[in-house]
Amino acid sequence: AQKITQTQPGMFVQEKEAVTLDCTYDTSDPSYGLFWYKQPSSGEMIFLIYQGSYDQQNATEGRYSLNFQKARKSANLVISASQLGDSAMYFCAMRFSGGYQKVTFGTGTKLQVIP
Amino acid sequence: DTGVSQNPRHKITKRGQNVTFRCDPISEHNRLYWYRQTLGQGPEFLTYFQNEAQLEKSRLLSDRFSAERPKGSFSTLEIQRTEQGDSAMYLCASSDRDGSSYEQYFGPGTRLTVT
């Protein structure tokens, strides 16, 4: 069975500092995709970044980067130069290339950026 | 390019009543997904449509729940004889292709409160 674990229920970061949100996963499937979504208080899930299981390089999207360590089954999100608008829930998620179409989510980390 | 829309955004109902939610996916997306998110948790997969065909259903989708996508465009999710445990955010997502490398685009959700 596939499982996503986010062990940090809440995190604080000072504005303009970098922060790392942890994510570990468990799967026996060799082909999968890892995603991070942001969910502001308004409720909408906003796609941030994607990492494929066969990708050799870590993914980056603007201020977001994904620290992918396949052997350790971890996919941590790094947000650089935090902004007040980054305050939100962040979910790590996984999708598989087989017959499954669903995305499996972790329990999320609530990030609060302090001015 | 309009995103995924969901209506209503909020619904308060009394236990035992039936409710119906609507999701309009991104126009060129033929894949549509329903998720349920309870407080403090990540979204949990409910069901998946490819065009009008419902191809995957979660065990979470009890016989009180039914989803349709009659013309392969918008979808409805109906809950019959609502229970307090049905109180949650119901999220709809769409995508234009299968595979682990393609993200799903989420709507703003419908927040259901059963009193």
Side-chain angles (χ1 to χ4, degrees), chain B residues 4 9 13-14 20 29 33 57 81 86 95 97 109:
Chain B
V4 178
R9 294 293 307 277
T13 191
K14 292 184 178 180
T20 300
H29 287 184
Y33 315 81
K57 290 171 64 174
R81 305 181 303 281
D86 297 331
S95 69
R97 62 194 76 185

Side-chain angles (χ1 to χ4, degrees), chain A residues 39 42-43, chain B residues 6-13 19-21 34-46 60-61 64-65 77 79 82-92 108-115:
Chain A
Q39 188 177 41
S42 58
Chain B
Q6 293 186 246
N7 288 288
R9 294 293 307 277
H10 302 275
K11 179 71 177 179
I12 299 174
T13 191
V19 293
T20 300
F21 311 140
W34 283 99
Y35 292 82
R36 181 174 71 185
Q37 184 179 21
T38 53
L39 203 62
Q41 300 296 317
E44 295 174 291
F45 171 80
L46 291 178
L60 293 174
L61 214 65
R64 296 185 299 106
F65 287 70
L77 178 68
I79 309 174
T82 52
E83 301 173 357
Q84 288 188 322
D86 297 331
S87 294
M89 174 80 89
Y90 290 85
L91 292 163
C92 176
T110 295
R111 186 172 296 281
L112 173 66
T113 303
V114 181
T115 61

Side-chain angles (χ1 to χ4, degrees), chain A residues 37-59:
Chain A
Y37 284 86
K38 173 184 177 181
Q39 188 177 41
S41 56
S42 58
E44 187 170 350
M45 300 289 284
I46 302 168
F47 166 73
L48 295 177
I49 194 168
Y50 159 79
Q51 179 83 43
S53 59
Y54 293 118
D55 293 344
Q56 296 297 311
Q57 292 188 319
N58 288 342

Side-chain angles (χ1 to χ4, degrees), chain A residues 3-11 20-25 36 73-76 90-92 106-110:
Chain A
K3 187 177 180 182
I4 298 280
T5 302
Q6 294 181 255
T7 58
Q8 305 156 313
M11 290 280 287
T20 298
L21 306 183
D22 295 341
C23 172
T24 58
Y25 59 92
W36 277 90
K73 294 188 176 178
S74 74
N76 298 339
Y90 288 82
F91 291 96
C92 181
T107 53
T109 295
K110 184 173 184 178

Side-chain angles (χ1 to χ4, degrees), chain B residues 50-99:
Chain B
Q50 183 172 328
N51 298 311
E52 65 275 8
Q54 188 174 21
L55 298 184
E56 196 173 346
K57 290 171 64 174
S58 162
R59 289 172 297 174
L60 293 174
L61 214 65
S62 75
D63 56 4
R64 296 185 299 106
F65 287 70
S66 62
E68 294 182 343
R69 195 181 183 199
K71 296 182 180 179
S73 55
F74 72 92
S75 174
T76 58
L77 178 68
E78 181 182 17
I79 309 174
Q80 296 181 326
R81 305 181 303 281
T82 52
E83 301 173 357
Q84 288 188 322
D86 297 331
S87 294
M89 174 80 89
Y90 290 85
L91 292 163
C92 176
S94 70
S95 69
D96 62 351
R97 62 194 76 185
D98 296 330

